[in-house]
Amino acid sequence: MIAIEQRFPRPSVMGIVNVTPDSFSDGGVNVDPDAAAATARRQLAEGAAIVDVGGESTRPGAAPVSLDEELRRVLPVLERLQGEVPVSIDTAKAEVARRALALGAELVNDVTALRGDPDLAGVVADTGAYLCLMHMQGEPRTMQEDPRYDDVAADVARFLEERLSFAVDAGIAEERIALDPGIGFGKTVEHNLELIRRLDVLLALGRPVLVGVSRKSSLRALTGADDLLPASVAAAVAAYERGATILRVHDVKEHVEALTVASAIA
Ligand code: 7PJ
């Protein structure tokens, strides 16, 4: 069994392939399965270690998607990528994860941290898949209304420590698990900045940390720019410098180049 830190050396890039009509930054471009598969193959060629395929938008305000609709979106993409591109399945649903893992997916990226579907932990335990546990305060529909913390880094770390214990108690090997502060999931701009600034508080839990900040609205709040690529690269490099292992990004080529330079200097 290869530990997640061996499979994903620091830094590794996770490419985002949203198979959704409504994701805030790339909504609609990958709805066609051939287009989504082409995006994934391009991301692999650009240096992604894995591509994260998702059929449920979790952006602020988004409504849940039915099981049938989520399967209809992602399975044709996974069939096209099988044996060719390493895949992470972005889902909270056990049945979606089960079908994706049967099609060769190696990582389950669950933004609910195993709180969404009581059967998901068992699926991950039985298959030996890698798992990312992400922090979210509230639910996507309402999470940005008035997010509050006593101490955001300590609160998020306490949550992730509890979800890590839950996962291990469910039979998932600790060395297969990564943790994620969930940038933008029930957080203000200042909360997001502080979580990256104080990433050491999460690293103290002893697991690799995944950070997803690519094209998120906090970056627009800071820069006012329409094009969030420079801001995304800066934030990813800052997270890497503070110890992040996996960076989840839309623009793989630019992030791989920037992280190659940052890691050569480190
Ligand atoms: C994240 C995610 C993130 C993990 C999204 C977007 C919004 N999964 N899914 N971490 N964000 N693990 O694609 O920008 O930050 S959806």
Side-chain angles (χ1 to χ4, degrees):
M1 173 159 97
I2 301 169
I4 195 166
E5 42 272 81
Q6 268 80 66
R7 169 65 182 83
F8 298 99
R10 178 172 168 268
S12 287
V13 166
M14 170 185 277
I16 301 170
V17 179
N18 283 320
V19 192
T20 54
D22 62 340
S23 288
F24 73 101
S25 64
D26 60 354
V29 292
N30 293 315
V31 178
D32 169 60
D34 287 320
T39 298
R41 288 188 197 102
R42 188 192 72 234
Q43 291 180 340
L44 179 69
E46 290 173 346
I50 195 163
V51 303
D52 190 39
V53 177
E56 175 174 40
S57 176
T58 46
R59 76 191 165 116
V65 172
S66 73
L67 171 62
D68 282 352
E69 177 61 18
E70 201 176 326
L71 290 170
R72 195 189 64 73
R73 291 177 183 178
V74 300
L75 294 183
V77 181
L78 301 185
E79 284 163 5
R80 284 162 174 76
L81 298 179
Q82 202 174 0
E84 208 186 319
V85 179
V87 166
S88 154
I89 181 70
D90 183 349
T91 191
K93 294 186 180 73
E95 182 62 15
V96 175
R98 187 180 296 122
R99 302 276 293 269
L101 294 165
L103 286 168
E106 59 178 314
L107 188 152
V108 174
N109 175 26
D110 176 16
V111 300
T112 76
L114 303 178
R115 297 174 298 162
D117 184 331
D119 296 329
L120 183 53
V123 170
V124 175
D126 290 347
T127 53
Y130 296 116
L131 173 67
C132 179
L133 297 171
M134 196 196 77
H135 174 271
M136 167 165 41
Q137 183 179 90
E139 54 177 273
R141 208 172 46 77
T142 55
M143 65 190 176
Q144 289 308 103
E145 282 173 12
D146 185 21
R148 282 167 192 266
Y149 298 86
D150 291 330
D151 172 335
V152 67
D155 291 4
V156 167
R158 191 176 320 104
F159 171 89
L160 290 173
E161 185 174 33
E162 188 274 321
R163 299 319 295 164
L164 179 61
S165 293
F166 176 89
V168 170
D169 289 347
I172 301 167
E174 180 161 351
E175 56 265 38
R176 303 195 71 88
I177 301 173
L179 305 177
D180 183 339
I183 301 299
F185 286 82
K187 282 132 191 147
T188 64
V189 174
E190 189 45 47
H191 291 143
N192 291 320
L193 297 175
E194 185 168 345
L195 281 166
I196 296 175
R197 190 181 301 125
R198 298 178 61 206
L199 211 62
D200 59 307
V201 179
L202 297 189
L203 291 165
L205 298 175
R207 303 308 312 141
V209 170
L210 185 156
V211 170
V213 63
S214 179
R215 299 189 194 170
K216 286 191 176 170
S217 65
S218 288
L219 301 174
R220 180 163 294 113
L222 289 167
T223 64
D226 289 326
D227 177 5
L228 296 179
L229 175 56
S232 298
V233 170
V237 170
Y240 163 69
E241 286 281 335
R242 284 161 179 75
T245 291
I246 303 174
L247 288 310
R248 181 181 181 275
V249 311
H250 300 84
D251 304 285
V252 170
K253 178 174 183 286
E254 292 84 352
H255 283 82
V256 167
E257 288 177 0
L259 290 162
T260 297
V261 174
S263 77
I265 294 167

